[in-house]
Amino acid sequence: MSNWIPCCCFSGRQRYYLLHLWILLTVLILVFYRMSHAQPNVLTPSRKDVLVLTPWLAPIIWEGTFNIDILNEQFRLQNTTIGLTVFAIKKYVVFLKLFLETAEQHFMVGHKVIYYVFTDRPAEVPQVSLGAGRKLVVLTVRNYSRWQDVSMHRMEMISDFSERRFLQEVDYLVCADVDMKFQDHVGVEILSALFGTLHPGFYGSSRESFTYERRPKSRAYIPWDEGDFYYMGAFFGGSVVEVYHLTKACHQAMVEDKANGIEAVWHDESHLNKYLLYHKPTKVLSPEYMWDQQLLGWPSVMKKLRYVAVPKNHQAIRNR
């Protein structure tokens, strides 16, 4: 027999209170939904103080331009796994603990993550407590005598492991420098087929001031009258397939440069900029996602500083 109690069993006063309780709950649900998922207004831009769309219609991600609750739900429905690659070569392994600890606090929280740590010192990789659905994989690689060579060979290693391993294990790859820390939320709003990050020193500059490779002999060459943005080599990514294409193309271009006796002015970053000029990113991250507060302060246009440089003595670490 059903234990449902018909409404007629309640007194008039009880029915009165139940009706008001139902109305109150309905109002609270509607208010909560309106707060968490406000209707977009096509006549009102999300930000009026910054560019939020590229000429090829790729969104530029700033605080205030996305609803993270909607995005989180979409990526959870897709059961997304994100790979984060980081190179801790030579003495740069000292930055790894802070990098991983802050990533656990701010990077893709609530999603499945695999940290891929490339290092020549696997015994020095720190033990860091990881959340559910997150794991760390140590990939032992060789080092190089010059830091420039370490930097340039990242493209080769990411390309190689993308083909051999990453394609089977993750949906997206985020490629990051280790001498940084996550200071605020960095989540699925960055994910897209291919994304690059605006360089904090050039985001407001004209293309003539960009430090592109200007020598025609290099495969990274960009003429003075070309270029959209200057992208930072320290934070880029996308789907594994697109990252594979990018890193393979950059590596092959660097091999050709070496055979021709030339090295691009900013090494792998120069080749990254050349690639993204002719293979437009589907999302562009604002300098919120790559900032140096010690050098640049905290301008008002930056509502949040998400991924920031750690103060360091480069000379004491490079080539050691």
Side-chain angles (χ1 to χ4, degrees):
M1 181 181 293
S2 171
N3 61 1
W4 176 71
I5 302 175
C7 195
C8 61
C9 295
F10 293 106
S11 67
R13 181 178 292 275
Q14 288 174 322
R15 287 199 298 272
Y16 172 82
Y17 284 127
L18 284 172
L19 177 62
H20 277 260
L21 179 61
W22 180 83
I23 293 172
L24 177 61
L25 287 173
T26 302
V27 169
L28 287 173
I29 291 170
L30 289 173
V31 168
F32 176 78
Y33 180 78
R34 184 175 179 82
M35 290 174 62
S36 63
H37 187 184
Q39 179 184 352
N41 187 337
V42 296
L43 300 178
T44 304
S46 54
R47 289 278 296 266
K48 299 178 182 179
D49 56 335
V50 291
L51 184 67
V52 298
L53 198 66
T54 70
W56 58 94
L57 302 182
I60 304 177
I61 310 302
W62 300 84
E63 175 65 14
T65 64
F66 59 90
N67 185 315
I68 192 57
D69 294 326
I70 297 173
L71 293 171
N72 274 333
E73 184 61 25
Q74 292 301 304
F75 281 93
R76 287 193 188 105
L77 287 172
Q78 297 169 29
N79 197 30
T80 302
T81 301
I82 303 102
L84 177 59
T85 70
V86 63
F87 285 76
I89 306 294
K90 298 183 178 180
K91 283 194 173 182
Y92 276 85
V93 74
V94 302
F95 296 106
L96 191 55
K97 188 173 189 294
L98 180 63
F99 176 91
L100 292 170
E101 288 177 343
T102 57
E104 279 298 288
Q105 297 170 24
H106 301 295
F107 181 77
M108 302 292 169
V109 175
H111 296 276
K112 293 185 292 184
V113 172
I114 301 177
Y115 299 106
Y116 294 111
V117 176
F118 291 80
T119 184
D120 60 329
R121 301 181 179 184
E124 296 180 34
V125 173
Q127 296 292 317
V128 174
S129 178
L130 303 180
R134 301 163 79 93
K135 66 178 181 178
L136 186 149
V137 174
V138 176
L139 302 172
T140 303
V141 295
R142 61 164 291 189
N143 64 37
Y144 293 87
S145 58
R146 299 187 313 144
W147 68 267
Q148 294 94 333
D149 292 319
V150 172
S151 179
M152 289 190 289
H153 278 280
R154 291 188 305 175
M155 293 295 189
E156 177 186 15
M157 296 179 200
I158 294 172
S159 170
D160 183 37
F161 276 91
S162 291
E163 188 174 26
R164 289 165 44 193
R165 180 168 186 167
F166 301 157
L167 279 165
Q168 289 76 45
E169 296 183 351
V170 296
D171 303 296
Y172 293 91
L173 275 180
V174 178
C175 306
D177 274 8
V178 72
D179 53 342
M180 308 282 292
K181 68 177 181 179
F182 294 90
Q183 186 168 288
D184 210 318
H185 165 89
V186 175
V188 295
E189 76 280 356
I190 74 173
L191 298 181
S192 183
L194 183 63
F195 72 81
T197 304
L198 299 182
H199 193 295
F202 295 108
Y203 67 96
S205 304
S206 64
R207 60 166 63 126
E208 291 78 18
S209 65
F210 294 166
T211 54
Y212 290 150
E213 174 54 66
R214 302 298 188 180
R215 294 169 294 175
K217 185 179 178 182
S218 172
R219 283 288 309 279
Y221 168 65
I222 297 176
W224 289 94
D225 60 347
E226 293 187 32
D228 307 304
F229 305 107
Y230 191 91
Y231 301 100
M232 192 77 173
F235 202 66
F236 65 92
S239 69
V240 183
V241 170
E242 289 298 329
V243 172
Y244 168 69
H245 290 320
L246 181 156
T247 52
K248 183 177 181 181
C250 289
H251 169 60
Q252 289 176 339
M254 286 185 278
V255 169
E256 289 184 35
D257 269 9
K258 186 174 183 180
N260 291 325
I262 192 169
E263 188 173 280
V265 59
W266 288 110
H267 318 109
D268 54 325
E269 184 173 272
S270 297
H271 290 276
L272 172 74
N273 273 275
K274 175 67 174 286
Y275 186 90
L276 293 179
L277 173 59
Y278 297 110
H279 304 80
K280 304 295 190 192
T282 50
K283 274 187 183 177
V284 174
L285 307 187
S286 72
E288 294 175 2
Y289 294 88
M290 176 55 58
W291 195 255
D292 190 327
Q293 191 173 357
Q294 188 176 33
L295 289 178
L296 302 168
W298 193 334
S300 59
V301 73
M302 301 295 166
K303 307 302 182 186
K304 291 189 174 183
L305 303 183
R306 304 175 185 276
Y307 187 52
V308 299
V310 175
K312 66 190 76 69
N313 182 339
H314 286 288
Q315 295 304 316
I317 295 172
R318 288 175 173 172
N319 300 329
R320 294 179 184 273

